[in-house]
Amino acid sequence: MINTNFKNNPVNFTAKLDISEMRNNKKLWTEVVDIFENKTKKTPYDFIVTNSDNRLDIYATTELSADDYSEHCCTLTKKATKTLLSLDADSIAQKFVKLLNIFKHQDKTKVDTLAFLAKLEKADKYHTLNTPRYENDDSIYDRIFYPIFDKMKDDRIVAVEDDFILKDADFID
């Protein structure tokens, strides 16, 4: 399960990788943590890696603003998990860095969209932005905001389509 207690922690300026639930290859995982955290300075995400039924689950969380946070989950296939675990520590860490960059891009897309919509709301003199306008009671706001999740998913699909480990992973946003 995703640990959402990160909101109570002081601001973290390095991505953290929690491997406390990993039981095998402790030396390798310790190296992965060191490499990952060195490569992700000034990127405040918390990653948790667990292994269940020979499949790695990778959880990522970050605070987007004082009242909004983001969480992502990626589950590798058994084959991808086996392949990942056959790599050296630097290559494994690089996969986590790639995931972090994908999640960071998705989160930036969401934050930018919300900032744009907030700007529109502020200038909405005639209060038409949030007024139900379409057959299904969608507003203009809805028609801008919700398709952004489709864009975020499509961006992620394109980002992993050629990656031999991440291409078949299950993602939950």
Side-chain angles (χ1 to χ4, degrees):
M1 199 71 219
I2 294 177
N3 175 8
T4 57
N5 290 332
F6 69 94
K7 284 186 136 186
N8 298 327
N9 296 336
V11 175
N12 168 13
F13 290 107
T14 299
K16 298 292 182 192
L17 180 59
D18 178 350
I19 56 160
S20 61
E21 293 190 32
M22 300 304 293
R23 301 292 177 233
N24 298 327
N25 302 322
K26 282 289 192 184
K27 183 177 184 242
L28 171 73
W29 282 109
T30 301
E31 288 178 45
V32 170
V33 169
D34 290 341
I35 295 166
F36 176 76
E37 291 182 358
N38 279 325
K39 289 184 177 205
T40 59
K41 291 190 182 322
K42 300 183 181 178
T43 310
Y45 278 74
D46 291 322
F47 272 59
I48 300 171
V49 180
T50 63
N51 190 348
S52 149
D53 192 29
N54 296 316
R55 295 176 60 155
L56 285 185
D57 292 314
I58 305 156
Y59 303 98
T61 56
T62 192
E63 191 171 322
L64 298 175
S65 66
D67 59 345
D68 192 16
Y69 69 96
S70 176
E71 54 186 31
H72 303 273
C73 177
C74 170
T75 301
L76 300 182
T77 64
K78 287 182 180 184
K79 180 181 176 188
T81 297
K82 185 176 180 179
T83 303
L84 180 73
L85 295 177
S86 71
L87 300 175
D88 61 43
D90 190 59
S91 298
I92 294 170
Q94 196 55 49
K95 287 297 174 195
F96 291 127
V97 170
K98 181 174 185 170
L99 271 177
L100 178 126
N101 287 331
I102 291 167
F103 296 153
K104 191 166 72 169
H105 176 75
Q106 289 180 292
D107 293 338
K108 182 174 179 352
T109 299
K110 180 183 175 189
V111 166
D112 289 349
T113 301
L114 289 171
F116 169 74
L117 287 167
K119 205 172 188 180
L120 278 179
E121 276 185 308
K122 191 173 183 179
D124 190 17
K125 181 177 180 177
Y126 300 106
H127 308 289
T128 58
L129 186 63
N130 287 307
T131 303
R133 172 180 175 86
Y134 302 97
E135 313 75 61
N136 62 352
D137 288 333
D138 274 358
S139 65
I140 294 169
Y141 183 102
D142 296 330
R143 293 276 175 112
I144 294 170
F145 181 70
Y146 292 107
I148 289 303
F149 292 100
D150 294 332
K151 180 192 179 343
M152 291 164 49
K153 180 180 176 185
D154 290 348
D155 286 350
R156 185 190 62 237
I157 289 168
V158 170
V160 301
E161 69 187 354
D162 294 329
D163 188 294
F164 64 101
I165 291 180
L166 299 175
K167 69 180 179 184
D168 294 323
D170 292 327
F171 286 89
I172 300 171
D173 294 318

